[in-house]
Amino acid sequence: MNNSVRSTARLLGAGLRALLVLTVVCGVIYPLVVTGIAQAAFHDKANGSEIKAGGKSVGSERLGQSYTLDAKDKDGNPLPDPKYFQPRPSAAGPNAENTRYKLIVSGASNLAADSKTLLDAVKQRRADVAAFNHADPSAVPVDALTSSASGLDPDISPAYARLQAKRVAEANGLPAAKVEKLVEDHVDGRILGFMGEERVNVLKLNIALRDLAGDGGKQ
């Protein structure tokens, strides 16, 4: 065997050994270590940030969902349930006007700021949200009119939650003051005190609302 063949065989052997070692380290050991650390230090987040109520998983803290009736509107979209706080519009569905949250689809409407389709949709949403909440159209906040970049935003602004409080209280037969306090108790501040905006997690708020309604508003 000449030197060229021996050199080639040596290189092939070294390459094969490197492949096996890197496969074990990067494909087995590293994922196990990272998974173990995540489960030990960030168990809830590593498992989807599940929220449970009544011993059952009802959703994720990080993913929005819809709160609708069985009935549908003239376009075939589910009608929002007046007993619950509603999330912001979602484009994560068959079309940009569909308010259902589809977890298998994530994304924005991708409409430009000067798009007539977007402008018409915003005008319609403003009218619908105002009518649904018996509020003045000028009081409807921006996040009630536009979908998020992911289409799965779990939070709404405190302003939008406050706008819905009166309607939710009436639909559940609760004192308005109790529901308004519930909203204030669920306002999360800016991250580290300066990043982002104040927000309200809709799922957590609705779980607390259900508990309050079940308690007859005594809390």
Side-chain angles (χ1 to χ4, degrees), residues 81-85 164-175 179 182 206 209-214 216-217:
D81 191 335
K83 290 186 176 182
Y84 289 100
F85 287 91
Q164 301 184 64
K166 183 178 179 181
R167 180 256 303 164
V168 169
E170 291 176 351
N172 286 281
L174 295 170
V179 178
L182 198 67
N206 278 331
L209 170 67
R210 187 171 63 181
D211 291 341
L212 180 63

Side-chain angles (χ1 to χ4, degrees), residues 187-200:
V187 175
D188 294 321
R190 293 177 172 85
I191 300 172
L192 299 180
F194 68 94
M195 292 191 296
E197 298 293 336
E198 290 186 331
R199 62 205 182 280
V200 176

Side-chain angles (χ1 to χ4, degrees), residues 65-82:
Q65 57 181 278
S66 58
Y67 302 88
T68 58
L69 300 170
D70 292 332
K72 296 184 178 181
D73 63 18
K74 58 183 178 60
D75 297 318
N77 298 321
L79 293 171
D81 191 335

Side-chain angles (χ1 to χ4, degrees), residues 62-65 89-92 100-107 148-155:
R62 306 298 178 187
L63 294 174
Q65 57 181 278
S90 172
R100 290 175 293 177
Y101 280 69
K102 296 292 186 180
L103 298 185
I104 60 173
V105 182
S106 176
S148 65
S150 69
L152 301 173
D153 194 340
D155 304 318

Side-chain angles (χ1 to χ4, degrees), residues 1-189:
M1 183 180 294
N2 58 41
N3 290 336
S4 176
V5 173
R6 282 196 293 270
S7 177
T8 300
R10 190 163 52 249
L11 289 174
L12 288 175
L16 180 59
R17 288 193 295 273
L19 174 63
L20 293 175
V21 170
L22 290 174
T23 297
V24 172
V25 172
C26 299
V28 180
I29 297 177
Y30 177 75
L32 288 176
V33 170
V34 172
T35 300
I37 293 174
Q39 289 294 332
F42 311 101
H43 182 75
D44 291 338
K45 292 181 176 63
N47 289 285
S49 300
E50 284 187 310
I51 295 179
K52 294 185 177 182
K56 297 181 179 179
S57 176
V58 294
S60 169
E61 181 181 354
R62 306 298 178 187
L63 294 174
Q65 57 181 278
S66 58
Y67 302 88
T68 58
L69 300 170
D70 292 332
K72 296 184 178 181
D73 63 18
K74 58 183 178 60
D75 297 318
N77 298 321
L79 293 171
D81 191 335
K83 290 186 176 182
Y84 289 100
F85 287 91
Q86 295 297 316
R88 63 187 301 182
S90 172
N95 58 68
E97 297 309 306
N98 197 313
T99 57
R100 290 175 293 177
Y101 280 69
K102 296 292 186 180
L103 298 185
I104 60 173
V105 182
S106 176
S109 64
N110 292 325
L111 296 173
D114 60 352
S115 166
K116 185 178 184 303
T117 299
L118 177 61
L119 295 175
D120 289 344
V122 166
K123 290 179 181 178
Q124 186 61 53
R125 287 170 183 162
R126 187 187 300 277
D128 291 344
V129 171
F132 186 58
N133 291 285
H134 311 294
D136 190 293
S138 63
V140 179
V142 174
D143 62 310
L145 306 176
T146 57
S147 60
S148 65
S150 69
L152 301 173
D153 194 340
D155 304 318
I156 56 176
S157 67
Y160 190 22
R162 291 168 185 140
L163 181 75
Q164 301 184 64
K166 183 178 179 181
R167 180 256 303 164
V168 169
E170 291 176 351
N172 286 281
L174 295 170
K178 291 284 187 181
V179 178
E180 290 168 359
K181 183 178 184 303
L182 198 67
V183 169
E184 299 306 320
D185 289 343
H186 283 78
V187 175
D188 294 321

